[in-house]
Amino acid sequence: MQRWLPLYHRRCAGLLRSSSLGRSQTLNPSPQLDLFRPFSSSSSDSEFRKYAGYFVLILGCGVATYYSFPFPENAKHKKAQIFRYAPLPEDLHSVTNWSGTHEVYTRVFLQPENLEELEKIVHDANERGQKIRPVGSGLSPNGIGLQRAGMVNLALMDKVLEVDKEKKRVRVEAGARVSQLVDALKEHGLTLQNFASIREQQIGGILQVGAHGTGARLPPIDEQVVSMKLVTPAKGTIEVSPEKDPELFYLARCGLGGLGVVAEVTIQCVDRHELVEHTFVSNMNEIRKNHKKWLGENKHVKYLWIPYTDTVIVVHCNPLSKWKKPKMARKFGEEEAVQHVRHLFRESLKKHRTSESPDEPDIDQLSFTELRDKLLALDPLNKDYVVEVNKAEAEYWKKSEGYRVGWSDEILGFDCGGQQWVSETCFPAGTLANPSMKDLEFMEELKKLIERENVPAPAPIEQRWTARSRSLMSPAWSSQEDDIFSWVGIIMYLPTMDARQRKEITEEFFLYRDLAQTRLWDNYSAYEHWAKIEIPKDKEELVDLQTRLRKRFPVDSYNKARKELDPNGILSNRMLEKLFPLPNTV
């Protein structure tokens, strides 16, 4: 039975607050009428009657108001309240994305427990013209799944339906989280081929936005899907695969939730395996010499660039060999590696402490990413201070060099830190046999741009790689099987809940992002990840974005499918309507 549950809670309730003038204002005195002043002998009787009538009218209105709206008996004992926001209605739920950057209030938040309930929800919504945008775990930085008019969430449809050990395939309901699915596959000796950084995504959501892990031989996660069951407003429940309607399958596999609600997914798995992770510090010169070899020899590889330093953290991951023991573990433990950062925090806290600063937290209990958040919160837009924090991070990674062994689902995760703004782009980088080196040129130009423009850019800038995807709406789509793509993410953390400071960080981040867009993107054919793209407020910029997307993606085919499968647009939201305007909505 379907449920209307407020599973998400307001995270930014403190953002609403009343404001007062910062200075007093003196108004020019205006003459006031004294109704009781004595009239001179020259005053006419009519003038007296006029003002007396005004007085009687005002007095009568006051009496009528008093008796029409009497005070409660205890009113005189209550404290006066100058102003107070009205409470939200009980049936109005707040749905916020993970970073707290996008929030909507809705009265319609549906959670079916099975396919039949989902089918009824979609059918009824289509009949009424009621919006029910599919929304997952809310992890997308741009809130791509949010819709104020109404949403449907499949968190209660999270069952693993079938495991085929022979074909190494799993059929799962789309509301299952990645972490749940991985745990369920363990007993069958299987796992997913690749992982994104965070494991709390629902399966449907991680596929629909074109999420990815890293490894130049491994495609984005949508490429692991071998069939899907879609619940569509116009055509009911349909199953698509390379054998059943391949054209729609490759379009809907990265369909942004606009072609149907993904109800079930069949995924190609791999044998569960352990990885050896090697983390070490390098620099641009060393990377240039070894880049082609590292991309080809390692199953997983990523670079973490530290702005305003020469430091690049390189992370290689490869299957554990039964015949070859891994080399030494890390030279320093986590506690030793993080000591330098803790010392910087204590010193920074002394410099930036004000009379209103909170008491010093117990920093010995904080992880590295938590310490970084608290460090940046002290002065997040001071470029020189951010450089100091970045250097501390470089030192932390130098002490974190070494090896570790673990199961692939444990090793491939990455602690991204706290709430943040993110812009991630994807662009071609040649082939595995012949890398173009454009990925390193991009990073070199980006770092120079940051330094030239004095951007308070925190670390790290994460760079990853994937093979191509055959999903037509994937940023990594290519018709050439051996093409590879690089993904680069720039960030600014939101380490505070102070509304003013968050606003200032947001403005600075979009200046940073716009610099990268105007100076780099077109030169490298770079396009943003669907979960990170933001809708421009400026109309001309929006038109430019729409035109740009048309150059890369089959927008007409996508819109045609939207009209056929969802003619009333009940699965749509502002983002889809702005990015892909239909002819009658332009």
Side-chain angles (χ1 to χ4, degrees):
M1 137 183 180
Q2 74 186 59
R3 300 184 182 177
W4 297 49
L5 298 176
L7 288 191
Y8 296 86
H9 303 283
R10 286 186 295 277
R11 302 182 183 181
C12 302
L15 296 182
L16 291 176
R17 60 186 183 189
S18 59
S19 61
S20 58
L21 292 174
R23 61 183 185 278
S24 61
Q25 294 183 349
T26 305
L27 301 177
N28 292 328
S30 58
Q32 298 181 359
L33 176 65
D34 185 353
L35 296 179
F36 297 98
R37 72 179 185 272
F39 280 75
S40 64
S41 58
S42 60
S43 300
S44 64
D45 289 341
S46 61
E47 188 176 0
F48 175 79
R49 286 196 298 272
K50 180 175 72 173
Y51 289 116
Y54 288 158
F55 174 75
V56 171
L57 179 62
I58 293 171
L59 182 63
C61 289
V63 172
T65 301
Y66 179 82
Y67 285 103
S68 297
F69 305 97
F71 288 108
E73 292 182 3
N74 64 342
K76 65 181 180 180
H77 302 297
K78 288 186 175 181
K79 289 184 178 181
Q81 294 184 341
I82 298 175
F83 182 79
R84 183 175 62 182
Y85 283 99
L88 291 170
E90 291 184 2
D91 63 341
L92 192 63
H93 311 314
S94 169
V95 185
T96 310
N97 71 329
W98 173 70
S99 282
T101 52
H102 294 274
E103 180 179 34
V104 297
Y105 293 91
T106 183
R107 285 186 168 86
V108 181
F109 191 83
L110 304 173
Q111 291 190 301
E113 294 187 13
N114 52 55
L115 179 60
E116 291 73 24
E117 286 186 12
L118 174 60
E119 290 172 332
K120 186 177 188 307
I121 286 172
V122 174
H123 175 270
D124 292 350
N126 190 49
E127 290 290 310
R128 298 192 308 268
Q130 166 68 54
K131 296 274 190 182
I132 49 162
R133 172 74 176 156
V135 62
S137 304
L139 290 166
S140 296
N142 62 356
I144 192 173
L146 302 184
Q147 167 60 275
R148 192 173 91 174
M151 286 165 279
V152 59
N153 175 274
L154 303 192
L156 303 179
M157 291 179 59
D158 61 352
K159 299 180 183 64
V160 175
L161 301 172
E162 181 185 5
V163 177
D164 187 332
K165 292 186 67 173
E166 184 177 343
K167 292 184 178 180
K168 298 179 183 178
R169 290 181 177 179
V170 60
R171 185 165 63 91
V172 61
E173 289 182 318
R177 296 178 187 269
V178 172
S179 56
Q180 289 177 262
L181 177 58
V182 170
D183 287 343
L185 288 172
K186 286 179 182 178
E187 61 183 273
H188 301 282
L190 300 174
T191 192
L192 299 181
Q193 183 185 53
N194 211 347
F195 298 90
S197 298
I198 303 174
R199 303 296 150 75
E200 295 311 305
Q201 301 103 320
Q202 290 181 9
I203 294 297
I206 198 173
L207 302 174
Q208 285 288 283
V209 297
H212 62 96
T214 189
R217 297 181 185 275
L218 303 173
I221 295 170
D222 55 90
E223 189 69 17
Q224 299 175 40
V225 177
V226 295
S227 69
M228 289 192 309
K229 191 172 285 187
L230 292 174
V231 180
T232 70
K235 296 188 176 182
T237 301
I238 59 177
E239 188 168 350
V240 293
S241 69
E243 296 75 36
K244 297 179 182 177
D245 201 344
E247 183 178 351
L248 180 57
F249 172 70
Y250 288 114
L251 190 63
R253 201 162 56 169
C254 182
L256 311 181
L259 303 182
V261 182
V262 180
E264 294 178 10
V265 182
T266 300
I267 300 173
Q268 184 66 54
C269 302
V270 297
D271 290 326
R272 191 167 186 244
H273 56 281
E274 288 184 286
L275 292 175
V276 180
E277 178 190 77
H278 182 200
T279 301
F280 60 96
V281 171
S282 188
N283 56 56
M284 177 62 87
N285 290 334
E286 286 299 314
I287 287 176
R288 281 199 197 96
K289 296 175 186 176
N290 296 286
H291 184 55
K292 180 179 177 179
K293 182 179 75 170
W294 288 346
L295 286 182
E297 290 181 353
N298 294 286
K299 184 173 183 180
H300 307 275
V301 60
K302 68 180 176 183
Y303 300 158
L304 304 176
W305 301 80
I306 311 294
Y308 295 102
T309 75
D310 294 327
T311 302
V312 187
I313 297 92
V314 181
V315 183
H316 296 164
C317 297
N318 291 291
L320 177 64
S321 170
K322 294 180 180 179
W323 313 108
K324 186 178 179 181
K325 292 184 179 181
K327 297 182 181 179
M328 66 174 185
R330 295 179 176 180
K331 186 176 181 180
F332 298 96
E334 179 66 17
E335 284 298 309
E336 293 173 286
V338 83
Q339 282 305 317
H340 178 76
V341 185
R342 286 177 179 158
H343 174 73
L344 174 62
F345 181 63
R346 288 191 177 95
E347 294 301 311
S348 299
L349 197 62
K350 293 175 185 177
K351 294 177 185 177
H352 294 86
R353 184 184 293 278
T354 67
S355 58
E356 298 179 358
S357 295
D359 294 334
E360 181 179 326
D362 185 2
I363 64 173
D364 291 332
Q365 303 302 314
L366 301 179
S367 68
F368 165 70
T369 54
E370 290 170 332
L371 279 169
R372 179 178 59 200
D373 270 7
K374 290 192 175 296
L375 271 168
L376 291 170
L378 296 174
D379 204 354
L381 300 180
N382 181 332
K383 189 268 291 187
D384 293 333
Y385 176 68
V386 172
V387 170
E388 191 176 358
V389 176
N390 287 355
K391 289 178 178 177
E393 176 152 353
E395 185 66 25
Y396 165 80
W397 284 109
K398 286 177 184 177
K399 291 186 176 180
S400 298
E401 290 184 316
Y403 294 80
R404 68 173 177 139
V405 177
W407 294 104
S408 62
D409 55 290
E410 300 166 352
I411 291 289
L412 294 176
F414 182 68
D415 187 350
C416 301
Q419 294 186 344
Q420 56 197 250
W421 281 107
V422 185
S423 173
E424 185 180 31
T425 53
C426 173
F427 55 92
T431 65
L432 193 59
N434 188 25
S436 66
M437 305 300 279
K438 287 285 188 180
D439 41 10
L440 298 188
E441 291 176 20
F442 183 96
M443 291 308 308
E444 196 165 21
E445 283 200 57
L446 177 59
K447 287 191 67 182
K448 287 179 180 178
L449 181 64
I450 289 169
E451 294 176 8
R452 186 166 61 247
E453 300 294 336
N454 290 312
V455 178
I461 300 173
E462 187 176 15
Q463 185 172 31
R464 294 180 281 177
W465 290 266
T466 67
R468 63 95 183 232
S469 169
R470 289 172 292 174
S471 299
L472 299 175
M473 294 294 288
S474 170
W477 173 85
S478 175
S479 60
Q480 303 300 312
E481 186 176 355
D482 57 349
D483 280 353
I484 62 173
F485 291 81
S486 181
W487 303 72
V488 175
I490 61 172
I491 58 175
M492 273 194 180
Y493 300 99
L494 292 163
T496 172
M497 293 308 296
D498 179 80
R500 179 187 56 79
Q501 194 176 45
R502 287 174 74 94
K503 180 177 181 292
E504 291 173 350
I505 294 170
T506 297
E507 291 171 350
E508 189 67 33
F509 171 78
F510 279 97
L511 290 175
Y512 179 16
R513 176 195 169 278
D514 289 347
L515 280 171
Q517 177 182 358
T518 55
R519 309 287 178 85
L520 298 177
W521 290 6
D522 284 343
N523 295 339
Y524 291 87
S525 299
Y527 289 84
E528 274 188 297
H529 190 306
W530 292 119
K532 278 95 174 181
I533 192 170
E534 296 284 345
I535 303 300
K537 295 180 180 178
D538 183 83
K539 290 184 179 179
E540 290 185 5
E541 290 181 11
L542 177 58
V543 171
D544 289 343
L545 174 58
Q546 293 167 350
T547 303
R548 195 168 186 274
L549 292 176
R550 280 185 167 276
K551 294 178 181 178
R552 178 72 175 97
F553 302 102
V555 173
D556 289 335
S557 297
Y558 182 69
N559 279 343
K560 180 183 177 183
R562 286 172 66 200
K563 290 292 286 184
E564 290 176 358
L565 300 173
D566 183 21
N568 296 322
I570 68 165
L571 304 179
S572 187
N573 65 355
R574 177 178 176 272
M575 179 167 289
L576 289 194
E577 289 158 6
K578 292 291 186 181
L579 293 179
F580 312 110
L582 296 168
N584 60 349
T585 62
V586 175

